[in-house]
Each structure stands twice: as C-alpha cells, then as structure tokens.
Amino acid sequence: MIYAAGVAHEHDTERPPQDRLGGLALAALALIWGSAWSLTKYGLAYVEPYTFAAVRSVLSVACLFILVLILRRPLRPVALGLTTIIGLLQTSGFVALTMWSLYHSGAGRTSVLTYTMPFWLLLLAWIVLGERLHRWQWLAVILALCGLVLVIQPWQLNGIAASLTAVAGGFVWATSAIVAKVLHRHHRVDDLSLTAWQMLLGTPVLIFIAVLTYTGPPEWTAGLVGVLAFNVVLANGVAWALWLFALRTLSAAGAGLGTLAVPVVGVLTAWVQLGERPGAVEGAGMALIIAALALLSTREIIVTRLRQRSQ
C-alpha cells in the first residue's frame, strides 16, 4: 500500500527503482517514526522535553555531517535561504510543537494528530504547487476534520492545548515539505546533505528554548541513553533523509499519504508499551483520521494501476 501511494512515473514497468525505492523509504519510516513516539514519551520521564530535543538535535547534526564526509556527499549547502526555511520549519517548529504536545499528552494521540500532516500537505500542494484535489481527496479531508473534532474534543478544555499544538506541528511539517519540493524543482541537492544542513540551521532555536526552560539536569539511565540513541541515529538522522528522498521521488501528496502507517504504529506501540488505551470518542476520531488516510491511499493505488495498464 505504501508503495502505491506514490504517483507512478512513466514506463514504470521498465524502470521501477525510483518510485519503488521511495515506497520502501516510507515503509522504513513507518516503523522508525511510529515506534519513536512511545519511546520518546518514555524518555521524557527522565529529562525535560526541550533539553532532550536540543541534545538529540546536536548529536544528530554531528552524526549526519560525519556521514556526509564519510560518504563524500556534497558538503556545501545548496540554496541556503530555502534550506534555512526548511530548518526553521522542520527542525525548530515541528520538533518544538510536537515535543510540547508529547510531554503534556499521550504518545498515541500526539502521533495521530501530528499525522494530519498529509491533509495539510494536500491543501498546500493544491494552493502552492497546483496539484489538483479530486473528489475522494475532498471526502477524505472532511472525514479527517470530523476525526479531529472527536480526538481534540473541544467541548472539554482539559488537554485541548496539547492537541492543538500537535495539529500545528503537522501543519508546520507540511509547510516544510512544500518548501522542500520547491527547492527540488529549482536545484539539484543531495538528500543527506540537505538533511544535515536544515537540522544544523534549525537546532539553535531548540537550544535557545532549552536554555529558557531549563530547571535541572537529566536523570541519566540506561533507558534514557537507549531512547536518545534511537532518536539520534534512526528517528532524527536516517529517517529525515528517507523522508526527503521519498519527497523527491514521489509527488507531494503521494509522499504525505505514504506515512499512513506511522500513526497506526504509534497508537499500537503506545498501547503496548505505555498502556495508553484511547476512550470510545477519541478512538472513533483516530479511526476516522486513519480511515481518511486509507481512502486517499486507495485512490492513489487505483490511479497508479490505471496508469500502468494504459502504458
């Protein structure tokens, strides 16, 4: 399903690597990012959220630039202005918003609300990139909005701020994806180098927030070290490179929709690892959001198959 979420390239049966590799990248992302929510939530019991975010980002930047040098990828930044915007959105804004939400809310809820990103990406791609929205996509957006209301439950003020912050994080992430698509349209850029530079440019903001909110040192345990290592190497290093690769090889909508499995993995791992069991209303809202994502992915599958048969 994840592979089919991307828009097929011409002569796909003759040269499948690009969109299929993009699909494999999204499959790996689902496992890494889906598991990261509950693991990070566990780690936040031993460290302040923005201290964790800053340390994770600094270590991730160091690892990424070492990898850039080892693999002899281009070290010089391309389109520094656009790269800075991506860093401020994808690293500074997205991480700051989702970390606050994760600290004050459940891992499963935060993952589902953050992954409303594909719907914001659809709307932004329609407005900015001219990617047309079809009837099924509009129906999916309506379903997702209904699901949002049930998950956020605006009639209950308790916890609403954390929910809205998670949704804002999804919107900021979608915005960074649009900027990345614009960058790729006008410049040839190495995905690993772009990931390293945008994270480097966005990390100072997280350090500044960490300094402002600092009240005490972390409680260094084996569990916290393990969570930090997982985040640095996989969730904050490899995964962002995979995301940018998928974003370059697939359409903006296809790449966004391909993240369908991430909130599913996030909810399941939070249930198993943290004992977070959503209530009836919240669970129904999560189901609507995931169903909307599935509806969009189904449409992409049908479109891809029809295009393949017509070639």
Side-chain angles (χ1 to χ4, degrees), residues 189-217:
V189 59
D190 180 80
D191 293 319
L192 183 60
S193 179
L194 175 60
T195 303
W197 275 103
Q198 67 84 17
M199 195 170 291
L200 173 65
L201 294 168
T203 295
V205 176
L206 296 178
I207 296 175
F208 179 72
I209 297 175
V211 171
L212 289 180
T213 59
Y214 184 80
T215 59

PDB file of all heavy atoms in Angstrom, residues 189-217:
ATOM      1  N   VAL A 189      20.034  18.811  -5.366  1.00  0.00           N
ATOM      2  CA  VAL A 189      20.554  18.798  -3.997  1.00  0.00           C
ATOM      3  C   VAL A 189      20.618  17.363  -3.484  1.00  0.00           C
ATOM      4  O   VAL A 189      19.747  16.537  -3.775  1.00  0.00           O
ATOM      5  CB  VAL A 189      19.659  19.660  -3.070  1.00  0.00           C
ATOM      6  CG1 VAL A 189      18.234  19.156  -3.058  1.00  0.00           C
ATOM      7  CG2 VAL A 189      20.226  19.696  -1.651  1.00  0.00           C
ATOM      8  N   ASP A 190      21.663  17.062  -2.740  1.00  0.00           N
ATOM      9  CA  ASP A 190      21.821  15.750  -2.122  1.00  0.00           C
ATOM     10  C   ASP A 190      20.942  15.677  -0.876  1.00  0.00           C
ATOM     11  O   ASP A 190      20.971  16.573  -0.032  1.00  0.00           O
ATOM     12  CB  ASP A 190      23.286  15.533  -1.743  1.00  0.00           C
ATOM     13  CG  ASP A 190      23.528  14.189  -1.093  1.00  0.00           C
ATOM     14  OD1 ASP A 190      23.625  13.184  -1.822  1.00  0.00           O
ATOM     15  OD2 ASP A 190      23.596  14.151   0.150  1.00  0.00           O
ATOM     16  N   ASP A 191      20.159  14.606  -0.753  1.00  0.00           N
ATOM     17  CA  ASP A 191      19.201  14.489   0.349  1.00  0.00           C
ATOM     18  C   ASP A 191      19.891  14.468   1.716  1.00  0.00           C
ATOM     19  O   ASP A 191      19.420  15.093   2.670  1.00  0.00           O
ATOM     20  CB  ASP A 191      18.354  13.228   0.186  1.00  0.00           C
ATOM     21  CG  ASP A 191      17.436  13.306  -1.017  1.00  0.00           C
ATOM     22  OD1 ASP A 191      16.860  14.379  -1.256  1.00  0.00           O
ATOM     23  OD2 ASP A 191      17.302  12.294  -1.730  1.00  0.00           O
ATOM     24  N   LEU A 192      21.000  13.726   1.811  1.00  0.00           N
ATOM     25  CA  LEU A 192      21.696  13.628   3.091  1.00  0.00           C
ATOM     26  C   LEU A 192      22.291  14.978   3.486  1.00  0.00           C
ATOM     27  O   LEU A 192      22.203  15.397   4.646  1.00  0.00           O
ATOM     28  CB  LEU A 192      22.798  12.569   3.009  1.00  0.00           C
ATOM     29  CG  LEU A 192      23.566  12.301   4.302  1.00  0.00           C
ATOM     30  CD1 LEU A 192      22.621  11.813   5.392  1.00  0.00           C
ATOM     31  CD2 LEU A 192      24.673  11.269   4.060  1.00  0.00           C
ATOM     32  N   SER A 193      22.880  15.673   2.525  1.00  0.00           N
ATOM     33  CA  SER A 193      23.444  16.998   2.798  1.00  0.00           C
ATOM     34  C   SER A 193      22.356  17.984   3.206  1.00  0.00           C
ATOM     35  O   SER A 193      22.534  18.768   4.153  1.00  0.00           O
ATOM     36  CB  SER A 193      24.187  17.506   1.560  1.00  0.00           C
ATOM     37  OG  SER A 193      24.716  18.796   1.787  1.00  0.00           O
ATOM     38  N   LEU A 194      21.215  17.947   2.515  1.00  0.00           N
ATOM     39  CA  LEU A 194      20.106  18.838   2.861  1.00  0.00           C
ATOM     40  C   LEU A 194      19.597  18.549   4.262  1.00  0.00           C
ATOM     41  O   LEU A 194      19.308  19.469   5.039  1.00  0.00           O
ATOM     42  CB  LEU A 194      18.969  18.676   1.846  1.00  0.00           C
ATOM     43  CG  LEU A 194      17.683  19.443   2.140  1.00  0.00           C
ATOM     44  CD1 LEU A 194      17.950  20.951   2.199  1.00  0.00           C
ATOM     45  CD2 LEU A 194      16.627  19.128   1.088  1.00  0.00           C
ATOM     46  N   THR A 195      19.482  17.261   4.609  1.00  0.00           N
ATOM     47  CA  THR A 195      19.024  16.886   5.946  1.00  0.00           C
ATOM     48  C   THR A 195      19.966  17.434   7.016  1.00  0.00           C
ATOM     49  O   THR A 195      19.524  17.987   8.029  1.00  0.00           O
ATOM     50  CB  THR A 195      18.936  15.357   6.075  1.00  0.00           C
ATOM     51  OG1 THR A 195      18.070  14.835   5.075  1.00  0.00           O
ATOM     52  CG2 THR A 195      18.400  14.959   7.444  1.00  0.00           C
ATOM     53  N   ALA A 196      21.268  17.283   6.791  1.00  0.00           N
ATOM     54  CA  ALA A 196      22.250  17.755   7.762  1.00  0.00           C
ATOM     55  C   ALA A 196      22.203  19.270   7.919  1.00  0.00           C
ATOM     56  O   ALA A 196      22.201  19.790   9.044  1.00  0.00           O
ATOM     57  CB  ALA A 196      23.648  17.303   7.335  1.00  0.00           C
ATOM     58  N   TRP A 197      22.138  19.989   6.798  1.00  0.00           N
ATOM     59  CA  TRP A 197      22.162  21.447   6.860  1.00  0.00           C
ATOM     60  C   TRP A 197      20.888  22.030   7.455  1.00  0.00           C
ATOM     61  O   TRP A 197      20.936  22.967   8.264  1.00  0.00           O
ATOM     62  CB  TRP A 197      22.426  22.033   5.473  1.00  0.00           C
ATOM     63  CG  TRP A 197      23.887  22.101   5.152  1.00  0.00           C
ATOM     64  CD1 TRP A 197      24.602  21.280   4.337  1.00  0.00           C
ATOM     65  CD2 TRP A 197      24.818  23.036   5.693  1.00  0.00           C
ATOM     66  NE1 TRP A 197      25.923  21.637   4.324  1.00  0.00           N
ATOM     67  CE2 TRP A 197      26.090  22.724   5.141  1.00  0.00           C
ATOM     68  CE3 TRP A 197      24.716  24.111   6.565  1.00  0.00           C
ATOM     69  CZ2 TRP A 197      27.236  23.443   5.454  1.00  0.00           C
ATOM     70  CZ3 TRP A 197      25.862  24.832   6.885  1.00  0.00           C
ATOM     71  CH2 TRP A 197      27.098  24.505   6.330  1.00  0.00           C
ATOM     72  N   GLN A 198      19.721  21.483   7.069  1.00  0.00           N
ATOM     73  CA  GLN A 198      18.490  22.034   7.625  1.00  0.00           C
ATOM     74  C   GLN A 198      18.420  21.792   9.125  1.00  0.00           C
ATOM     75  O   GLN A 198      17.927  22.631   9.877  1.00  0.00           O
ATOM     76  CB  GLN A 198      17.262  21.457   6.904  1.00  0.00           C
ATOM     77  CG  GLN A 198      16.984  19.978   7.103  1.00  0.00           C
ATOM     78  CD  GLN A 198      16.203  19.678   8.371  1.00  0.00           C
ATOM     79  OE1 GLN A 198      15.594  20.570   8.963  1.00  0.00           O
ATOM     80  NE2 GLN A 198      16.243  18.425   8.800  1.00  0.00           N
ATOM     81  N   MET A 199      18.956  20.633   9.582  1.00  0.00           N
ATOM     82  CA  MET A 199      18.948  20.354  11.012  1.00  0.00           C
ATOM     83  C   MET A 199      19.933  21.260  11.754  1.00  0.00           C
ATOM     84  O   MET A 199      19.645  21.737  12.857  1.00  0.00           O
ATOM     85  CB  MET A 199      19.279  18.883  11.261  1.00  0.00           C
ATOM     86  CG  MET A 199      18.948  18.410  12.667  1.00  0.00           C
ATOM     87  SD  MET A 199      19.069  16.612  12.832  1.00  0.00           S
ATOM     88  CE  MET A 199      17.672  16.102  11.813  1.00  0.00           C
ATOM     89  N   LEU A 200      21.097  21.513  11.142  1.00  0.00           N
ATOM     90  CA  LEU A 200      22.076  22.416  11.741  1.00  0.00           C
ATOM     91  C   LEU A 200      21.488  23.823  11.887  1.00  0.00           C
ATOM     92  O   LEU A 200      21.656  24.482  12.927  1.00  0.00           O
ATOM     93  CB  LEU A 200      23.331  22.463  10.877  1.00  0.00           C
ATOM     94  CG  LEU A 200      24.394  23.499  11.283  1.00  0.00           C
ATOM     95  CD1 LEU A 200      24.967  23.168  12.656  1.00  0.00           C
ATOM     96  CD2 LEU A 200      25.511  23.562  10.242  1.00  0.00           C
ATOM     97  N   LEU A 201      20.789  24.288  10.857  1.00  0.00           N
ATOM     98  CA  LEU A 201      20.239  25.644  10.874  1.00  0.00           C
ATOM     99  C   LEU A 201      19.028  25.779  11.801  1.00  0.00           C
ATOM    100  O   LEU A 201      18.730  26.879  12.280  1.00  0.00           O
ATOM    101  CB  LEU A 201      19.856  26.047   9.445  1.00  0.00           C
ATOM    102  CG  LEU A 201      21.040  26.183   8.479  1.00  0.00           C
ATOM    103  CD1 LEU A 201      20.544  26.290   7.040  1.00  0.00           C
ATOM    104  CD2 LEU A 201      21.896  27.389   8.843  1.00  0.00           C
ATOM    105  N   GLY A 202      18.343  24.668  12.056  1.00  0.00           N
ATOM    106  CA  GLY A 202      17.175  24.730  12.924  1.00  0.00           C
ATOM    107  C   GLY A 202      17.462  24.444  14.379  1.00  0.00           C
ATOM    108  O   GLY A 202      16.673  24.816  15.265  1.00  0.00           O
ATOM    109  N   THR A 203      18.598  23.817  14.681  1.00  0.00           N
ATOM    110  CA  THR A 203      18.923  23.408  16.049  1.00  0.00           C
ATOM    111  C   THR A 203      19.140  24.573  17.018  1.00  0.00           C
ATOM    112  O   THR A 203      18.736  24.474  18.187  1.00  0.00           O
ATOM    113  CB  THR A 203      20.152  22.483  16.043  1.00  0.00           C
ATOM    114  OG1 THR A 203      19.814  21.271  15.360  1.00  0.00           O
ATOM    115  CG2 THR A 203      20.603  22.147  17.449  1.00  0.00           C
ATOM    116  N   PRO A 204      19.774  25.682  16.617  1.00  0.00           N
ATOM    117  CA  PRO A 204      19.969  26.782  17.588  1.00  0.00           C
ATOM    118  C   PRO A 204      18.680  27.256  18.246  1.00  0.00           C
ATOM    119  O   PRO A 204      18.696  27.658  19.418  1.00  0.00           O
ATOM    120  CB  PRO A 204      20.605  27.884  16.731  1.00  0.00           C
ATOM    121  CG  PRO A 204      21.343  27.142  15.660  1.00  0.00           C
ATOM    122  CD  PRO A 204      20.467  25.968  15.348  1.00  0.00           C
ATOM    123  N   VAL A 205      17.584  27.232  17.540  1.00  0.00           N
ATOM    124  CA  VAL A 205      16.310  27.646  18.134  1.00  0.00           C
ATOM    125  C   VAL A 205      15.923  26.689  19.265  1.00  0.00           C
ATOM    126  O   VAL A 205      15.461  27.118  20.336  1.00  0.00           O
ATOM    127  CB  VAL A 205      15.196  27.688  17.070  1.00  0.00           C
ATOM    128  CG1 VAL A 205      13.852  28.017  17.715  1.00  0.00           C
ATOM    129  CG2 VAL A 205      15.528  28.709  15.992  1.00  0.00           C
ATOM    130  N   LEU A 206      16.125  25.387  19.055  1.00  0.00           N
ATOM    131  CA  LEU A 206      15.820  24.404  20.099  1.00  0.00           C
ATOM    132  C   LEU A 206      16.737  24.581  21.304  1.00  0.00           C
ATOM    133  O   LEU A 206      16.292  24.440  22.453  1.00  0.00           O
ATOM    134  CB  LEU A 206      15.965  22.986  19.539  1.00  0.00           C
ATOM    135  CG  LEU A 206      14.989  22.599  18.426  1.00  0.00           C
ATOM    136  CD1 LEU A 206      15.280  21.187  17.931  1.00  0.00           C
ATOM    137  CD2 LEU A 206      13.546  22.701  18.904  1.00  0.00           C
ATOM    138  N   ILE A 207      18.007  24.902  21.060  1.00  0.00           N
ATOM    139  CA  ILE A 207      18.941  25.147  22.165  1.00  0.00           C
ATOM    140  C   ILE A 207      18.493  26.365  22.968  1.00  0.00           C
ATOM    141  O   ILE A 207      18.508  26.358  24.212  1.00  0.00           O
ATOM    142  CB  ILE A 207      20.368  25.349  21.626  1.00  0.00           C
ATOM    143  CG1 ILE A 207      20.867  24.065  20.959  1.00  0.00           C
ATOM    144  CG2 ILE A 207      21.315  25.780  22.746  1.00  0.00           C
ATOM    145  CD1 ILE A 207      22.221  24.213  20.285  1.00  0.00           C
ATOM    146  N   PHE A 208      18.066  27.413  22.274  1.00  0.00           N
ATOM    147  CA  PHE A 208      17.601  28.630  22.942  1.00  0.00           C
ATOM    148  C   PHE A 208      16.384  28.328  23.819  1.00  0.00           C
ATOM    149  O   PHE A 208      16.308  28.773  24.975  1.00  0.00           O
ATOM    150  CB  PHE A 208      17.260  29.685  21.895  1.00  0.00           C
ATOM    151  CG  PHE A 208      16.740  30.970  22.461  1.00  0.00           C
ATOM    152  CD1 PHE A 208      17.581  31.846  23.135  1.00  0.00           C
ATOM    153  CD2 PHE A 208      15.399  31.306  22.335  1.00  0.00           C
ATOM    154  CE1 PHE A 208      17.105  33.038  23.668  1.00  0.00           C
ATOM    155  CE2 PHE A 208      14.916  32.489  22.867  1.00  0.00           C
ATOM    156  CZ  PHE A 208      15.769  33.360  23.529  1.00  0.00           C
ATOM    157  N   ILE A 209      15.425  27.555  23.290  1.00  0.00           N
ATOM    158  CA  ILE A 209      14.237  27.206  24.077  1.00  0.00           C
ATOM    159  C   ILE A 209      14.631  26.337  25.272  1.00  0.00           C
ATOM    160  O   ILE A 209      14.097  26.507  26.379  1.00  0.00           O
ATOM    161  CB  ILE A 209      13.209  26.460  23.196  1.00  0.00           C
ATOM    162  CG1 ILE A 209      12.728  27.370  22.069  1.00  0.00           C
ATOM    163  CG2 ILE A 209      12.025  25.989  24.033  1.00  0.00           C
ATOM    164  CD1 ILE A 209      11.815  26.681  21.079  1.00  0.00           C
ATOM    165  N   ALA A 210      15.580  25.418  25.064  1.00  0.00           N
ATOM    166  CA  ALA A 210      16.024  24.550  26.154  1.00  0.00           C
ATOM    167  C   ALA A 210      16.651  25.357  27.283  1.00  0.00           C
ATOM    168  O   ALA A 210      16.425  25.068  28.472  1.00  0.00           O
ATOM    169  CB  ALA A 210      17.017  23.515  25.619  1.00  0.00           C
ATOM    170  N   VAL A 211      17.437  26.382  26.930  1.00  0.00           N
ATOM    171  CA  VAL A 211      18.061  27.227  27.946  1.00  0.00           C
ATOM    172  C   VAL A 211      17.003  28.005  28.725  1.00  0.00           C
ATOM    173  O   VAL A 211      17.073  28.122  29.961  1.00  0.00           O
ATOM    174  CB  VAL A 211      19.060  28.199  27.290  1.00  0.00           C
ATOM    175  CG1 VAL A 211      19.556  29.233  28.304  1.00  0.00           C
ATOM    176  CG2 VAL A 211      20.249  27.430  26.706  1.00  0.00           C
ATOM    177  N   LEU A 212      15.998  28.514  28.014  1.00  0.00           N
ATOM    178  CA  LEU A 212      14.948  29.290  28.672  1.00  0.00           C
ATOM    179  C   LEU A 212      14.108  28.433  29.617  1.00  0.00           C
ATOM    180  O   LEU A 212      13.615  28.939  30.639  1.00  0.00           O
ATOM    181  CB  LEU A 212      14.036  29.931  27.619  1.00  0.00           C
ATOM    182  CG  LEU A 212      14.611  31.080  26.793  1.00  0.00           C
ATOM    183  CD1 LEU A 212      13.570  31.587  25.806  1.00  0.00           C
ATOM    184  CD2 LEU A 212      15.095  32.221  27.688  1.00  0.00           C
ATOM    185  N   THR A 213      13.914  27.164  29.293  1.00  0.00           N
ATOM    186  CA  THR A 213      13.026  26.299  30.082  1.00  0.00           C
ATOM    187  C   THR A 213      13.778  25.365  31.026  1.00  0.00           C
ATOM    188  O   THR A 213      13.158  24.549  31.707  1.00  0.00           O
ATOM    189  CB  THR A 213      12.157  25.447  29.140  1.00  0.00           C
ATOM    190  OG1 THR A 213      13.006  24.652  28.286  1.00  0.00           O
ATOM    191  CG2 THR A 213      11.272  26.329  28.270  1.00  0.00           C
ATOM    192  N   TYR A 214      15.092  25.490  31.098  1.00  0.00           N
ATOM    193  CA  TYR A 214      15.920  24.564  31.885  1.00  0.00           C
ATOM    194  C   TYR A 214      15.681  24.737  33.383  1.00  0.00           C
ATOM    195  O   TYR A 214      15.718  25.846  33.903  1.00  0.00           O
ATOM    196  CB  TYR A 214      17.394  24.798  31.569  1.00  0.00           C
ATOM    197  CG  TYR A 214      18.332  23.843  32.259  1.00  0.00           C
ATOM    198  CD1 TYR A 214      18.541  22.558  31.773  1.00  0.00           C
ATOM    199  CD2 TYR A 214      19.017  24.234  33.415  1.00  0.00           C
ATOM    200  CE1 TYR A 214      19.408  21.685  32.401  1.00  0.00           C
ATOM    201  CE2 TYR A 214      19.885  23.365  34.052  1.00  0.00           C
ATOM    202  CZ  TYR A 214      20.083  22.093  33.539  1.00  0.00           C
ATOM    203  OH  TYR A 214      20.937  21.239  34.171  1.00  0.00           O
ATOM    204  N   THR A 215      15.433  23.615  34.069  1.00  0.00           N
ATOM    205  CA  THR A 215      15.270  23.639  35.532  1.00  0.00           C
ATOM    206  C   THR A 215      16.150  22.620  36.237  1.00  0.00           C
ATOM    207  O   THR A 215      16.256  22.647  37.459  1.00  0.00           O
ATOM    208  CB  THR A 215      13.803  23.364  35.926  1.00  0.00           C
ATOM    209  OG1 THR A 215      13.406  22.081  35.421  1.00  0.00           O
ATOM    210  CG2 THR A 215      12.872  24.430  35.368  1.00  0.00           C
ATOM    211  N   GLY A 216      16.773  21.726  35.504  1.00  0.00           N
ATOM    212  CA  GLY A 216      17.625  20.729  36.139  1.00  0.00           C
ATOM    213  C   GLY A 216      18.173  19.739  35.132  1.00  0.00           C
ATOM    214  O   GLY A 216      17.643  19.606  34.026  1.00  0.00           O
ATOM    215  N   PRO A 217      19.258  19.029  35.484  1.00  0.00           N
ATOM    216  CA  PRO A 217      19.893  18.090  34.557  1.00  0.00           C
ATOM    217  C   PRO A 217      19.065  16.823  34.376  1.00  0.00           C
ATOM    218  O   PRO A 217      18.221  16.488  35.213  1.00  0.00           O
ATOM    219  CB  PRO A 217      21.230  17.776  35.243  1.00  0.00           C
ATOM    220  CG  PRO A 217      20.933  17.945  36.702  1.00  0.00           C
ATOM    221  CD  PRO A 217      19.953  19.078  36.787  1.00  0.00           C
TER     222      PRO A 217
END
